[in-house]
Amino acid sequence: MKVVDQIKEPIIAEMELFEKKFYESMTSKVALLNRITHYIVNRKGKQMRPMFVFLTSKLINNGEVNERTYRGASVIELIHTATLVHDDVVDESNKRRGFFSINALWKNKIAVLVGDYLLSKGLLLSIDNGDFDLLKIISVAVREMSEGELLQIEKARRLDITEAVYYEIIRQKTATLIAACCSLGACSVKPDSEEVEVFRKFGEYCGMAFQIKDDLFDYGDAAIGKPTGIDIKEQKMTLPLIYVLNNCSKKEKRWVINSIKNHNKDKKRVKEVINFVKDNGGLDYAITKMLEFKDQALAILETYPDSDYKNSLQLMVNYVVDRKI
Ligand code: 2DE
Ligand code: MG
Ligand code: MG
Ligand code: MG
Ligand code: MG
């Protein structure tokens, strides 16, 4: 059995009902919008975020979820979809999950509006039944993601970034949404409990490991058929490169920075930077840090008695760092 199916096993019924509710939550009176949301739903990803929501709820509440858990899962997936549609506009990316992105097929104008629509649907759904806890959690996540994206752009222009700033960027742009999944999963079944914060932290650790893994893919770390060097071309400084720049000579540093700035002039340069990072322990360092975040997430789960849900969450944490895509 594939590991993702294994993870899903204790939440199969919930994920099925979720998919139905999620799809319903997107429908509109405008035919163009429905065509586009249909396109998105037919090319869905692994749905890791709703899985985090349901597994957290079930872990801390003897296998029980409720209406709020379903609502939370739909809101998260709506917001996540909105961020991907906008992210591809911001990154000028014409591919998503191996298919054409919305901006590639319908142009930026429409993609921006579709993202806005999905975002508003998510916010509206979160105040259904006056669920202000959910609205708060999700609004904080949206604010953080927008700030994270802008911080990333600011730093990419200057090509100077410390390890601490890198962690802040990935915490904001990626980890906060996974943190929101787990905290709202906990909040849906145990509002006002300490577990809301415990699982926000758990999700944050998972998210940090998740983005470091994503950034390692840019160096070809085990990824099958993913393009490499994209982040370098965009001057996105990620952990492997940051570490190496902090630990090489001034002369080498100048060479790396020059290569990145002038990658257009000579195609070999990106490959040379990748090799320099590899040869100087950049990947090993990033892997070590990623595993530290993974271990911090696992340590939180260790405080819970064994169950199918704990087992699935452990598999999920390991999958975040072991995945090939
Ligand atoms: C993925 O980064 C991070 C995405 C956050 C996007 C957030 C935006 C602002 P990557 P990949 C655009 C918030 C917008 C809302 C709420 C509508 O490294 O490699 O670009 O998957 O990810 O493209
Ligand atoms: Mg992107
Ligand atoms: Mg991006
Ligand atoms: Mg990436
Ligand atoms: Mg990615």
Side-chain angles (χ1 to χ4, degrees):
M1 204 195 308
K2 277 197 292 191
V3 60
V4 176
D5 295 328
Q6 227 173 315
I7 296 169
K8 268 192 194 161
E9 201 142 67
I11 48 167
I12 286 181
E14 286 81 6
M15 288 301 289
E16 246 169 54
L17 187 52
F18 154 76
E19 286 211 35
K20 229 177 120 243
K21 287 175 184 269
F22 174 58
Y23 190 57
E24 282 167 12
S25 73
M26 289 212 265
T27 51
S28 151
K29 292 195 288 292
V30 179
L32 172 61
L33 247 171
N34 284 334
R35 249 199 337 271
I36 297 173
T37 52
H38 203 84
Y39 177 84
I40 293 172
V41 170
N42 283 331
R43 286 154 190 81
K44 61 175 190 271
K46 297 180 284 287
Q47 300 189 311
M48 286 174 75
R49 286 161 191 80
M51 283 157 67
F52 270 119
V53 175
F54 290 119
L55 286 170
T56 306
S57 305
K58 292 189 117 182
L59 175 78
I60 68 167
N61 197 41
N62 304 315
E64 298 286 323
V65 303
N66 58 34
E67 271 312 303
R68 295 182 80 197
T69 323
Y70 281 102
R71 203 183 305 127
S74 289
V75 168
I76 282 283
E77 200 63 4
L78 281 165
I79 302 289
H80 175 56
T81 309
T83 63
L84 296 184
V85 172
H86 279 182
D87 182 67
D88 290 335
V89 174
V90 171
D91 292 345
E92 299 176 52
S93 168
N94 60 0
K95 283 280 172 70
R96 169 67 56 189
R97 295 166 183 156
F99 298 95
F100 284 115
S101 59
I102 306 301
N103 46 308
L105 290 174
W106 283 280
K107 302 281 175 263
N108 284 352
K109 246 191 239 195
I110 290 181
V112 168
L113 293 167
V114 169
D116 289 343
Y117 175 77
L118 294 170
L119 170 62
S120 68
K121 281 291 222 181
L123 295 176
L124 281 169
L125 181 56
S126 64
I127 43 168
D128 272 9
N129 300 51
D131 200 337
F132 287 99
D133 290 336
L134 177 54
L135 181 64
K136 174 87 192 276
I137 290 172
I138 208 67
S139 303
V140 168
V142 171
R143 180 195 67 202
E144 297 275 301
M145 285 187 285
S146 312
E147 278 188 343
E149 284 288 300
L150 285 159
L151 183 58
Q152 174 171 280
I153 292 172
E154 181 182 289
K155 296 297 168 185
R157 292 206 175 138
R158 298 215 202 128
L159 269 178
D160 67 348
I161 164 173
T162 60
E163 203 171 320
V165 172
Y166 168 79
Y167 292 131
E168 181 59 7
I169 290 172
I170 67 169
R171 189 188 65 73
Q172 287 194 302
K173 77 164 187 173
T174 305
T176 40
L177 194 61
I178 300 177
C181 295
C182 301
S183 66
L184 75 83
C187 184
S188 70
V189 290
K190 288 193 182 173
D192 307 317
S193 71
E194 279 171 19
E195 280 161 309
V196 177
E197 174 56 21
V198 171
F199 278 90
R200 191 196 62 74
K201 215 60 211 159
F202 167 77
E204 191 174 286
Y205 292 137
C206 294
M208 298 296 285
F210 184 91
Q211 189 60 46
I212 296 176
K213 179 72 179 183
D214 186 84
D215 293 340
L216 280 162
F217 282 144
D218 204 55
Y219 290 85
D221 170 59
I224 307 165
K226 255 204 160 184
T228 58
I230 305 281
D231 292 340
I232 295 176
K233 287 181 194 156
E234 288 175 0
Q235 307 203 15
K236 248 187 232 166
M237 313 276 275
T238 63
L239 191 52
L241 183 58
I242 294 166
Y243 169 79
V244 167
L245 286 180
N246 285 337
N247 290 279
C248 65
S249 68
K250 277 220 170 79
K251 197 172 151 226
E252 287 171 320
K253 189 167 175 170
R254 262 201 309 277
W255 173 81
V256 172
I257 300 278
N258 257 316
S259 301
I260 296 173
K261 283 190 179 154
N262 297 306
H263 73 85
N264 279 329
K265 292 186 193 145
D266 184 355
K267 283 217 158 72
K268 288 200 307 309
R269 292 212 166 185
V270 174
K271 194 83 209 126
E272 281 168 5
V273 172
I274 289 178
N275 287 334
F276 182 77
V277 169
K278 284 183 179 168
D279 292 344
N280 287 279
L283 300 193
D284 297 334
Y285 183 78
I287 290 168
T288 304
K289 288 290 161 185
M290 173 179 78
L291 297 178
E292 278 173 27
F293 285 115
K294 180 195 86 159
D295 288 340
Q296 281 175 286
L298 287 175
I300 291 177
L301 293 180
E302 269 325 302
T303 60
Y304 285 81
D306 288 343
S307 69
D308 291 348
Y309 316 114
K310 176 175 162 183
N311 186 48
S312 275
L313 281 169
Q314 286 169 331
L315 286 173
M316 190 103 153
V317 176
N318 283 303
Y319 176 71
V320 163
V321 301
D322 291 336
R323 71 204 158 98
K324 303 281 178 272
I325 191 93

